[in-house]
Amino acid sequence: MSNYLNKVLKDTKKKNLKEPEFLQAVNEVLQSVSPVIDIHPEYEKLAILERLVEPERIIMFRVPWVNDKGKVIVNRGYRVQFNSLIGPYKGGLRFHPSVNLSIIKFLGFEQIFKNALTGLPIGGAKGGSDFDPKGKSDFEIMKFCQSFMTELYRHIGQDVDVPAGDIGVGAREVGYLFGQYKRIRNAYEGGVLTGKDVMYGGSLARKEATGYGLMYFMREMLAADNKSLKGKTVIISGSGNVAIYACEKCQAMGAKVIAMSDSNGCIYDKSGIDLDCVKQIKEVQRGRIKEYLKTYPKAVYMESKGSANPPIWSIKADIALPCATQNDIGIDSAKLLVKNGVIAIGEGANMPCTIEATEYFLANGVLVAPAKAANAGGVATSAIEMSQNSMRYYYTFEEVDKKLEQIMVNIFNECKNASEEFKCKGNYVVGANIAAFKKLAEAMKMQGVV
Ligand code: NDP
């Protein structure tokens, strides 16, 4: 690693000591772009890396709201507008009690690279709040979203910053956020938020896009290794938006999904998960995955005991798709998966594997579809939603799905080509980082010191 790279890593650590997730994301990216830095000594003079790791703007704000008992609650809101090199800031909002600045910065940083890989004109951002939607009434969710948007609206816009969903933010929350934005602005600016319902400006296939996109990437990655999804067993962590539609596409591609989870535990159904039942529990009743056993008493339920080593990763399967949250697979889970013969990992969630786990997979010949590339289908389809809003037009489901599939094939090829060019064939983690970094560094050179 060059002195320049070492120095930037050291300085970033010093400046962001209390942000472990952010430092983890920066470490992974910077170390893997080392060979590009080596052939571009001018990047040091231009401070390319220093500019990439420093957000353009961080916004933090108070979100006061009144719960159903009449008590005032105060949450903290965030929007990190990380990088607008190649388009308006773009990235989701996460509502979860674990949200803090480190998590939003790591997500925003990853988003810059992911968005660059899509080939579409979108910059990188992320936001959210430590608000916990679980157990809240629909009315409380609406009041929180309205208060959140009452501050956020002044920082966003369809050509400025375009938020979307993430953990805890789905079509319901986007609806309330959009309604409040429209009321304050007294204008219908459809492209200011994505992940909207199709009824008022959303895109068909946006809901499915991240999960479907993950499986298009997985299909390409397996095919490059003369493998396919047909007949493979699959385990998927999470049972939210990404997990459900990854499962749907997996099944359509002939694989058998045998386990899914939520933050309390996982279900294992060796005859194959009934996705309609999971959708009913999660999308309609907003219940717990354990309730699957009411319909399928022969399935097994394993409780999660804390966040380390979730039980789902002890189930033997060919393919593992972490689609819940960051650092879901640590080194112990990675060792178990390898011991049980896993052949491929598809990262539906952002940074779901620790650096040690990823290195262990790669060292043991397991294919890894990295989050930045493999889950980029969601944001790519959000960009397609923005174009439809600008055109005041709707594509059919098939049209959007076709565009999504082509984008995922292109992203896979970019990762593959970069991994080959920089002599790490088959390492798509490094391939994705390099392919995105090359675009960003060149765009930065072209736009001067800003
Ligand atoms: P959802 O809120 O729809 O679902 C999240 C799922 O993960 C739920 O099953 C949830 O369980 C579980 N989960 C969340 N936090 C934890 C935790 N700390 N420990 C264990 N399980 C947890 O979110 P999404 O499906 O939208 O997002 C999942 C991941 O995919 C995130 O990493 C997100 O950043 C990433 N992603 C999402 C995109 C999208 O388009 N939605 C696009 C690209 C990436 P429970 O219900 O018990 O909390």
Side-chain angles (χ1 to χ4, degrees):
M1 209 190 306
S2 73
N3 288 340
Y4 170 47
L5 206 70
N6 260 325
K7 183 176 175 313
V8 176
L9 277 173
K10 237 171 86 191
D11 290 349
T12 310
K13 194 168 169 193
K14 217 162 100 191
K15 270 195 193 168
N16 305 278
L17 265 182
K18 293 190 181 144
E19 297 173 2
E21 292 86 0
F22 174 57
L23 291 173
Q24 182 183 339
V26 169
N27 259 313
E28 185 214 285
V29 171
L30 294 205
Q31 296 200 18
S32 57
V33 301
S34 179
V36 188
I37 302 289
D38 290 344
I39 54 173
H40 286 283
E42 78 278 14
Y43 285 0
E44 180 169 3
K45 193 169 172 202
L46 293 170
I48 295 283
L49 296 179
E50 291 90 327
R51 284 194 275 159
L52 259 186
V53 299
E54 195 63 36
E56 288 176 21
R57 193 171 300 109
I58 294 179
I59 301 146
M60 280 171 67
F61 51 98
R62 181 174 69 202
V63 191
W65 58 282
V66 184
N67 75 9
D68 286 348
K69 292 189 182 121
K71 181 167 180 356
V72 177
I73 313 284
V74 178
N75 284 103
R76 183 172 285 178
Y78 302 86
R79 187 69 182 166
V80 175
Q81 297 178 333
F82 222 118
N83 194 301
S84 60
L85 261 177
I86 56 176
Y89 305 111
K90 178 89 196 87
L93 297 171
R94 177 177 291 191
F95 292 169
H96 194 271
S98 64
V99 163
N100 56 35
L101 188 58
S102 173
I103 289 182
I104 299 297
K105 276 177 69 180
F106 115 66
L107 290 164
F109 182 73
E110 293 272 301
Q111 197 82 44
I112 311 169
F113 295 83
K114 181 189 310 197
N115 293 4
L117 283 173
T118 65
L120 299 167
I122 37 179
K126 202 80 188 189
S129 172
D130 55 3
F131 171 74
D132 187 359
K134 246 185 242 141
K136 301 287 186 300
S137 71
D138 203 43
F139 198 52
E140 288 176 318
I141 301 277
M142 182 184 77
K143 283 187 289 184
F144 175 80
C145 289
Q146 290 180 338
S147 180
F148 187 86
M149 184 51 87
T150 301
E151 172 58 33
L152 187 69
Y153 89 93
R154 67 189 87 243
H155 308 290
I156 61 175
Q158 52 191 0
D159 297 317
V160 180
D161 182 355
V162 182
D166 190 80
I167 292 178
V169 180
R172 172 180 60 168
E173 291 73 19
V174 169
Y176 293 144
L177 292 164
F178 186 73
Q180 183 72 352
Y181 180 85
K182 190 162 55 65
R183 185 174 190 201
I184 296 173
R185 300 280 300 146
N186 189 31
Y188 178 94
E189 294 167 20
V192 72
L193 280 164
T194 59
K196 302 181 292 295
D197 194 278
V198 184
M199 196 91 76
Y200 64 92
S203 173
L204 287 162
R206 171 60 187 93
K207 184 173 69 173
E208 292 81 0
T210 310
Y212 279 21
L214 172 66
M215 297 320 298
Y216 293 139
F217 189 103
M218 176 62 76
R219 181 193 66 196
E220 296 302 301
M221 181 173 82
L222 291 174
D225 218 43
N226 294 317
K227 297 185 173 88
S228 89
L229 274 151
K230 203 150 184 58
K232 299 289 186 300
T233 50
V234 181
I235 49 181
I236 305 179
S237 71
S239 46
N241 173 262
V242 180
I244 284 178
Y245 293 96
C247 178
E248 186 165 286
K249 196 46 110 180
C250 246
Q251 292 177 339
M253 287 175 168
K256 182 157 117 181
V257 179
I258 53 171
M260 291 182 83
S261 69
D262 63 20
S263 54
N264 294 120
C266 74
I267 47 163
Y268 169 45
D269 186 343
K270 66 174 190 247
S271 56
I273 294 282
D274 173 357
L275 187 60
D276 286 338
C277 180
V278 172
K279 280 186 181 174
Q280 181 64 24
I281 296 167
K282 288 293 174 182
E283 293 188 332
V284 182
Q285 297 161 8
R286 296 183 188 272
R288 310 308 301 158
I289 197 83
K290 191 179 182 178
E291 291 160 34
Y292 185 86
L293 267 67
K294 285 187 196 158
T295 312
Y296 292 96
K298 285 198 180 139
V300 177
Y301 179 72
M302 291 185 264
E303 196 133 336
S304 272
K305 297 192 177 62
S307 55
N309 310 322
I312 191 165
W313 307 127
S314 63
I315 297 167
K316 184 174 166 51
D318 301 312
I319 293 170
L321 305 178
C323 294
T325 193
Q326 65 275 0
N327 293 331
D328 191 9
I329 301 185
I331 185 68
D332 292 340
S333 300
K335 284 182 177 166
L336 257 180
L337 285 162
V338 170
K339 192 168 138 234
N340 283 335
V342 78
I343 59 163
I345 307 292
E347 296 190 327
N350 285 309
M351 207 168 74
C353 301
T354 62
I355 294 183
E356 298 75 39
T358 305
E359 282 170 355
Y360 190 79
F361 287 133
L362 294 171
N364 283 279
V366 176
L367 295 166
V368 178
K372 274 180 209 83
N375 73 26
V379 74
T381 307
S382 276
I384 298 172
E385 180 175 336
M386 289 161 73
S387 339
Q388 292 172 83
N389 294 144
S390 298
M391 292 188 291
R392 305 205 188 282
Y393 185 72
Y394 281 104
Y395 294 131
T396 64
F397 187 97
E398 289 69 30
E399 283 171 324
V400 180
D401 191 29
K402 216 63 249 125
K403 290 179 199 299
L404 166 68
E405 185 174 7
Q406 190 55 58
I407 289 169
M408 296 313 297
V409 170
N410 293 348
I411 293 178
F412 174 74
N413 287 332
E414 284 203 44
C415 297
K416 182 167 174 282
N417 294 343
S419 75
E420 284 165 8
E421 185 187 343
F422 287 87
K423 315 265 174 299
C424 52
K425 188 167 186 261
N427 183 340
Y428 304 113
V429 179
V430 169
N433 288 336
I434 289 183
F437 176 71
K438 278 170 67 181
K439 289 189 195 179
L440 292 160
E442 284 311 300
M444 222 184 281
K445 267 170 77 175
M446 290 171 196
Q447 292 181 26
V449 181
V450 289

